[in-house]
Amino acid sequence: MRPVRLVFFFFAVLLLIPVPGLARVVSVENVRMWPAPDYTRLVFDLSGSVGYRLFTLSNPDRVVIDLHDARLVHPLPALGNNSAIVAGLRSGPRPGHGVRIVVDLRLAAQPRSFLLRPAGPYGHRLVIDLYDPAKAARDRARLRAMEIAPPSREFVVVIDPGHGGDDPGATGHMGTEEKNVVLAIARDLDRLVSAQPGMKAIMTRTGDYYVPLVTRRRMARGADVFISIHADSDPGRSPDARGASVYALSERGATSALAKALASNENGSDWIGGVNLGDVESGVGQVLGDLTKSATIADSLRLGDDMLPYLQRVAPLHSRKVEQAGFVVLKSPVPSVLIETGFISNPRDERRLRSPVFQEATARAIFKGLRRAEPWLLARRGVPLRIARAPAAPHEYTVRPGDTLMRIAQSHGTTVAALRNANRLRGSTIFSGMQLRIPAAGGRG
Ligand SMILES: [Zn+2]
C-alpha cells in the first residue's frame, strides 16, 4: 500500500512544478486577409490564447506584432495583392520562445487588435484591423450624416448581403458559400435600385469582408427600408427543406421552430465573423423605443407581404406568410425584412442559388416588391410622390382587407376622384381582392 501512495504523491508533485522550457507554446497555424473599403483585416489562427505586443514604425510604415511563447507551424502564406493597405507579411523568431510578425504597409494605417475565442469552424484567433485614417474618418462622418440628415426625398434602400470575410454563412454540398451568393444577388439588386429614378441604394458591404450586425443596422437609420439577403442551411440539417422565405423581427418569440433556429444562427454571426466585443457593448446598437417598435414591425410585415408574390414566381416559397423571430440585424427603426432566398443545404436550391440567372431573377423579384411598397412607405413619412420620383406608369393594385379608397389614393400619390375615374367607380365601395387601375401619379406637379 505504502509505496503506491508514495509514487502517486511523487507524480502529483511533479505535475505542480512548472518545468522551464516546457511552457505552453502557441502555434500560429494560418493567416487570412480580408480587405474592406476603409480597412484591411488580418486574422491569425492560433492553437491557443496568446500574449502579444503590437506597435507601429514608420519609414517605411509597418506594424510589428510580437507574440509571446509562440511559434510558426509553417511559413506564413502569401496574402495576395488586393489590399490598399497591406503590402506584405514577414516573420522571424524572437529570443525566448517568441515570434515577430511584421506587416509592411502601403500607408500609415491605424491598427486595432483583439483576440477571439473559438467560434464556429475556428479556434483561437488574433485579429488585426488596419484602418486607412482618411477613409475611416470620411466613413464615420458619412454614417453620422445619415443618422441626422433630414428625410431624403429619395426612397432609400439599404441592401445587406449577409455574412462575409471569416464568416462564410452556410455552405452547400458543392461548396457554395452563402456569403458569395448573397453578395451577387445584392449587387444585382443594387444595380436595379440605382437605375430607378427616385430610388437610392446603400450596400452594407461591397466585398468579401465581415461587417458587425450593429454596424449593418446602424446603416439602416435614415433609410426607408432595410433588406437583409441570406441563403442559409436548414438548422435541422434536413436536405429536403427548400424554397424562399421572408422574415421580420419579433419581440415575443418566433412564429416557428425554424424561424427561431435561423435567428439564433444569424445572431451568432458576429462570433464567427469576428467582432471586437467593445464595439458591440459600446451602445452603438441601442434598440429603438417601444412605441416605434410595434409600428415598424407592422410595416415590416406589410413590406414582406409585398415581396412574397414576386418571390413565388422565382422559387417555391418555404412559407406563404412572413415569419417572425428575434433577428438582431432587423432591430432598427425602419421597416426591415430578412429574405432567405433558398436553402443552400438543399441540392436543387444550391444549384439555383449558384446560377447568375436565378440570382438576377431573385434580385428583380425583391425589386418589384420594393416598387410595390415604395408608395405607401413614402406616404407614411409625408413625402409627396410627385416630388419624390418621376411619374409612375399606370399600374394595377389588388385591394386588401381594410383598404379604403382614400388610403389607396394617398399611398399611391393620387386622389379618390382620379381613382374613381380610372376605374369607373360610382361610390366608394371596394372589396378585398378587387383589381384597381392606379392612374399615373404626378406629371405637372
Ligand atoms: Zn445567413
Side-chain angles (χ1 to χ4, degrees):
M1 278 305 223
R2 233 185 149 152
V4 174
R5 244 208 223 135
L6 239 172
V7 167
F8 176 78
F9 180 74
F10 175 76
F11 275 111
V13 168
L14 197 70
L15 285 171
L16 292 174
I17 301 171
V19 184
L22 283 182
R24 190 184 58 110
V25 173
V26 172
S27 313
V28 182
E29 288 157 354
N30 195 15
V31 58
R32 288 176 296 280
M33 179 167 82
W34 305 111
D38 59 334
Y39 75 100
T40 290
R41 169 168 289 187
L42 291 171
V43 185
F44 294 91
D45 286 318
L46 309 167
S47 64
S49 188
V50 79
Y52 69 97
R53 186 169 71 112
L54 181 148
F55 55 96
T56 53
L57 295 170
S58 46
N59 288 323
D61 291 312
R62 56 206 192 275
V63 169
V64 179
I65 307 137
D66 284 336
L67 303 172
H68 312 313
D69 296 319
R71 68 188 177 99
L72 280 179
V73 177
H74 25 244
L76 293 172
L79 288 176
N81 201 23
N82 52 352
S83 165
I85 296 169
V86 173
L89 276 188
R90 292 177 281 139
S91 60
R94 292 274 297 155
H97 308 287
V99 173
R100 168 164 287 187
I101 293 167
V102 179
V103 186
D104 291 310
L105 302 172
R106 298 187 203 276
L107 49 89
Q110 286 164 353
R112 282 182 72 189
S113 65
F114 52 96
L115 290 162
L116 290 171
R117 290 169 173 281
Y122 305 107
H124 291 267
R125 285 172 288 171
L126 169 64
V127 179
I128 318 278
D129 288 340
L130 298 153
Y131 286 85
D132 177 334
K135 278 194 180 150
R138 254 203 317 272
D139 259 38
R140 274 196 303 275
R142 211 184 52 209
L143 209 59
R144 263 198 306 275
M146 272 165 61
E147 284 176 359
I148 55 166
S152 154
R153 283 181 170 183
E154 289 168 309
F155 184 73
V156 182
V157 181
V158 173
I159 304 169
D160 173 47
H163 313 278
D166 248 9
D167 176 17
T171 308
H173 299 281
M174 297 161 82
T176 318
E177 289 181 327
E178 180 185 357
K179 65 174 180 179
N180 299 325
V181 167
V182 298
L183 182 61
I185 296 171
R187 282 182 174 148
D188 287 338
L189 181 59
D190 179 25
R191 263 193 299 277
L192 289 165
V193 169
S194 302
Q196 176 67 27
M199 275 199 186
K200 183 181 159 189
I202 296 169
M203 296 267 280
T204 57
R205 73 174 171 99
T206 52
D208 191 6
Y209 51 90
Y210 188 72
V211 178
L213 298 178
V214 291
T215 311
R216 294 173 195 251
R217 72 176 193 223
R218 195 178 169 202
M219 291 175 85
R221 294 195 192 167
D224 290 284
V225 282
F226 178 87
I227 312 282
S228 194
I229 302 177
H230 290 259
D232 281 280
S233 291
D234 174 23
R237 305 209 168 276
S238 157
D240 301 331
R242 58 189 284 246
S245 30
V246 179
Y247 294 86
L249 180 66
S250 163
E251 290 295 324
R252 296 181 198 86
T255 46
S256 72
L258 174 70
K260 186 179 175 185
L262 276 175
S264 100
N265 261 2
E266 289 304 339
N267 295 347
S269 229
D270 275 351
W271 300 111
I272 299 168
V275 169
N276 196 350
L277 203 60
D279 289 343
V280 178
E281 286 173 351
S282 66
V284 249
Q286 281 309 315
V287 181
L288 49 156
D290 278 326
L291 274 177
T292 52
K293 229 178 329 195
S294 50
T296 306
I297 289 177
D299 282 351
S300 301
L301 289 170
R302 185 166 172 194
L303 172 66
D305 279 338
D306 283 345
M307 303 266 162
L308 283 170
Y310 299 106
L311 285 169
Q312 187 170 24
R313 290 176 205 168
V314 180
L317 290 182
H318 185 77
S319 171
R320 296 188 170 277
K321 65 179 179 90
V322 181
E323 300 281 344
Q324 286 177 271
F327 292 94
V328 166
V329 76
L330 299 183
K331 286 188 180 175
S332 63
V334 307
S336 307
V337 290
L338 185 145
I339 299 176
E340 292 285 357
T341 52
F343 284 93
I344 215 164
S345 45
N346 176 280
R348 271 170 72 182
D349 272 12
E350 182 184 11
R351 266 198 305 280
R352 230 194 346 239
L353 288 162
R354 290 167 71 94
S355 135
V357 175
F358 173 79
Q359 291 167 355
E360 221 272 333
T362 305
R364 201 166 282 282
I366 299 171
F367 175 66
K368 284 181 181 161
L370 283 169
R371 292 281 320 260
R372 187 168 180 166
E374 183 190 8
W376 64 263
L377 279 166
L378 280 180
R380 188 137 308 181
R381 66 170 165 84
V383 177
L385 257 194
R386 273 183 299 231
I387 297 172
R389 49 180 275 195
H395 60 284
E396 299 258 290
Y397 173 82
T398 309
V399 177
R400 299 148 182 253
D403 272 345
T404 62
L405 265 191
M406 175 61 93
R407 221 167 91 186
I408 297 170
Q410 275 174 352
S411 63
H412 289 86
T414 182
T415 61
V416 171
L419 267 186
R420 278 211 188 103
N421 232 343
N423 295 281
R424 298 169 190 224
L425 290 174
R426 298 237 167 139
S428 296
T429 312
I430 50 171
F431 51 88
S432 175
M434 181 178 179
Q435 289 284 321
L436 283 184
R437 222 179 102 80
I438 306 291
R444 279 156 304 200

